[in-house]
Amino acid sequence: MRSDNREVKKCSICGKHFITNKSRVVCCSPECQKKRNKEIQNEARRKYVSQKEPKKKKKTLEEISVEARAAGMTYGQYVAQMGL
Ligand SMILES: [Zn+2]
């Protein structure tokens, strides 16, 4: 049995209202979700580049996992978002 927790949300990409029962969904369609994923990736990459220390060429796995934890993500999620 499923509880009905559908709610009306506004798409964060096109602004269209849509109904979902998934609390994590913020886009009305797969197309918008793709755009959003790209935006998140670009944003993350920009942050990553601007935070990068010039002395270090490459982050170690340990450093990345520490950063991932600090960002509240698993290592895998963090790496995926950074496009590493
Ligand atoms: Zn949309």
Side-chain angles (χ1 to χ4, degrees):
M1 282 233 278
R2 275 189 185 178
S3 60
D4 187 4
N5 50 7
R6 284 184 296 178
E7 53 177 317
V8 177
K9 289 196 174 190
K10 197 177 170 188
C11 177
S12 69
I13 296 300
C14 71
K16 201 169 115 182
H17 286 94
F18 65 103
I19 296 170
T20 181
N21 57 4
K22 298 185 183 100
S23 58
R24 289 179 65 188
V25 171
V26 294
C27 296
C28 68
S29 65
E31 285 76 28
C32 285
Q33 185 61 54
K34 266 186 215 165
K35 284 184 197 170
R36 184 173 154 78
N37 287 346
K38 254 187 190 166
E39 279 183 9
I40 291 173
Q41 222 168 51
N42 289 341
E43 182 73 16
R45 203 166 286 159
R46 265 202 300 277
K47 276 184 194 162
Y48 175 72
V49 168
S50 64
Q51 282 172 6
K52 204 158 62 175
E53 292 171 44
K55 278 179 192 172
K56 287 180 187 173
K57 277 181 188 170
K58 240 184 175 181
K59 284 184 199 290
T60 65
L61 291 183
E62 205 179 352
E63 282 173 328
I64 294 171
S65 72
V66 165
E67 283 183 11
R69 269 198 298 273
M73 286 182 271
T74 66
Y75 176 80
Q77 286 173 326
Y78 191 73
V79 168
Q81 201 180 68
M82 292 303 168
L84 295 177

